[in-house]
Amino acid sequence: MARIAGCFRRCEPRRLVRDFVLGLLMELEDHNCWTLGEALGHTGPHRLQHLLSRAKWDERQVLDETAAWAAGHLTDLDDSGHAGGDAVFIVDETGDAKSSTDCVGAARQYSGSLGGVALCQVTVNLTLATARGHTIIDRRLYLPGDWAADEERRELAGVPDEVEFATKSQLAATMLAHACHRGIGAACVAGDEVYGGRDLRRTVRSLGMGYVMAVKHDHTVTLGPRTTTARKAVRLIGDGGWQRMRTGTGTKGVRSYDWAMLAINPDDTPEGDQAGDQAGDQAGDQAG
C-alpha cells in the first residue's frame, strides 16, 4: 500500500482501497460491494461503490505498480535489472456474465469460462507465470465492434474517445509491449488459437521473445517448397514422433497432451530482421 500511495489524491480512497483488498482476501461465498461492505463492517455497499465508480485515483498506475511488485517476487532480475529468466507470459480472455447490455462492452459473445455464447463482458488478461507462482499483471476490456461504433451508448457509459475497437490479439500485443517497456520480460508467450495470428506472433518476436501458440486447423504453413494446412501437416508425423506429456490436473482429472515438433518456414519475421535458424524456427514456429 505504501508503494501505491502516490496514486491517490486523498488519503480516504487510499485507506478504502486497503480495506477493499483485505476484503478480497477474505474467504467469502461471493465478492461484491455488498458482501465486502458487510464483512468490513460498513453499513452498506455505498462507500465501495463510490470508490469504484466516482472516486479519483490513477487505476493504471496502481496496476503498473502492483504488477512490477508481483513480478519482482516471481522472477529473478537479470544483470540489467529486468525481470525475465524462466518466466512465461500467458494471454487469454475470461467472461463476466451480465444482466444488461448497459455495462461497457456487454454483449452476447463467446466466453470459454462461461461455457459458450452468453451476455457478458470479455476481458483479455496477461498472466506472468514462473516456477514460483503466477499472477495477472494486466487486463484490457474487449469492446465489440457494435459497442465501439455506438456513440450514444459510449457517451452514456463514459467510454473515453480514445478507446476504439481493437481485436483481442491487438489488445494482447499492447499489453505485452507495455509489460516489456516496464521492464517485465519473459522467455516466451503462450496462448490459444485466438492469439495465433501472424501479427501478434510478429510482435512477440520483435520484443525478443519466443512463443507457443495454438493455430486453427486450416492455418497455412510452409514446409520447404510445400504449402499445406496445419491439419495436413500433423498427418505427416508418424506415430513414433509423438510424446505424451502430463500438463496438470483439472476438474476432470489428469490432463495429458501428445506433442510433436515439425520444422516449418517462418511467416512472422519482423521487418528488418533475418529469419531465425532452424533451431529457433522449431522453437518458435511449429504445428503440434
Side-chain angles (χ1 to χ4, degrees):
M1 293 307 302
R3 182 162 183 163
I4 65 172
C7 304
F8 303 89
R9 297 181 181 180
R10 300 170 58 88
C11 63
E12 292 85 0
R14 184 179 74 241
R15 293 168 180 165
L16 195 54
V17 163
R18 179 181 182 278
D19 291 342
F20 187 83
V21 172
L22 291 175
L24 290 174
L25 295 174
M26 295 180 181
E27 294 184 4
L28 305 175
E29 290 188 5
D30 194 10
H31 291 83
N32 56 54
C33 289
W34 286 90
T35 58
L36 293 176
E38 181 179 19
L40 293 169
H42 298 177
T43 57
H46 314 296
R47 292 177 61 193
L48 296 180
Q49 289 173 342
H50 173 78
L51 172 71
L52 298 179
S53 61
R54 294 180 296 277
K56 301 296 183 181
W57 51 290
D58 194 329
E59 174 188 342
R60 167 52 54 180
Q61 186 181 356
V62 169
L63 182 56
D64 285 347
E65 290 293 341
T66 53
W69 172 82
H73 284 274
L74 293 176
T75 64
D76 293 319
L77 299 180
D78 59 23
D79 294 337
S80 62
H82 289 71
D86 65 343
V88 175
F89 282 136
I90 303 168
V91 289
D92 198 7
E93 72 275 355
T94 187
D96 185 12
K98 297 296 178 182
S99 59
S100 169
T101 57
D102 292 338
C103 297
V104 178
R108 288 194 59 80
Q109 52 192 323
Y110 177 80
S111 169
S113 58
L114 297 178
V117 176
L119 178 58
C120 61
Q121 289 176 317
V122 171
T123 304
V124 179
N125 301 314
L126 178 63
T127 295
L128 178 69
T130 73
R132 299 178 184 177
H134 64 274
T135 186
I136 294 176
I137 62 169
D138 204 348
R139 82 285 177 273
R140 305 291 168 109
L141 180 66
Y142 172 70
L143 200 63
D146 58 343
W147 240 106
D150 192 328
E151 295 296 336
E152 183 177 356
R153 279 206 295 182
R154 290 174 62 104
E155 184 176 357
L156 290 173
V159 179
D161 293 338
E162 62 270 19
V163 176
E164 300 177 346
F165 171 75
T167 66
K168 295 172 183 175
S169 290
Q170 289 171 333
L171 295 175
T174 298
M175 290 190 292
L176 288 168
H178 183 71
C180 291
H181 176 72
R182 294 276 299 172
I184 305 174
C188 67
V189 181
D192 61 21
E193 65 182 38
V194 173
Y195 306 96
R198 183 175 61 181
D199 288 344
L200 179 57
R201 290 186 282 113
R202 181 172 289 175
T203 296
V204 170
R205 291 190 61 179
S206 70
L207 292 171
M209 296 180 287
Y211 62 77
V212 179
M213 300 287 196
V215 295
K216 296 181 179 180
H217 64 84
D218 58 353
H219 178 79
T220 300
V221 295
T222 303
L223 300 88
R226 297 180 53 188
T227 298
T228 185
T229 64
R231 171 181 284 177
K232 292 180 180 179
V234 168
R235 295 173 183 167
L236 299 176
I237 303 172
D239 292 340
W242 295 92
Q243 180 179 5
R244 177 157 296 185
M245 299 180 65
R246 176 175 175 174
T247 59
T249 303
T251 57
K252 297 182 180 180
V254 175
R255 293 194 304 267
S256 297
Y257 288 84
D258 292 332
W259 293 85
M261 187 170 289
L262 186 67
I264 66 174
N265 297 345
D267 66 346
D268 55 12
T269 303
E271 295 292 339
D273 286 7
Q274 295 182 348
D277 57 27
Q278 182 168 316
D281 293 341
Q282 289 180 345
D285 303 272
Q286 56 186 335

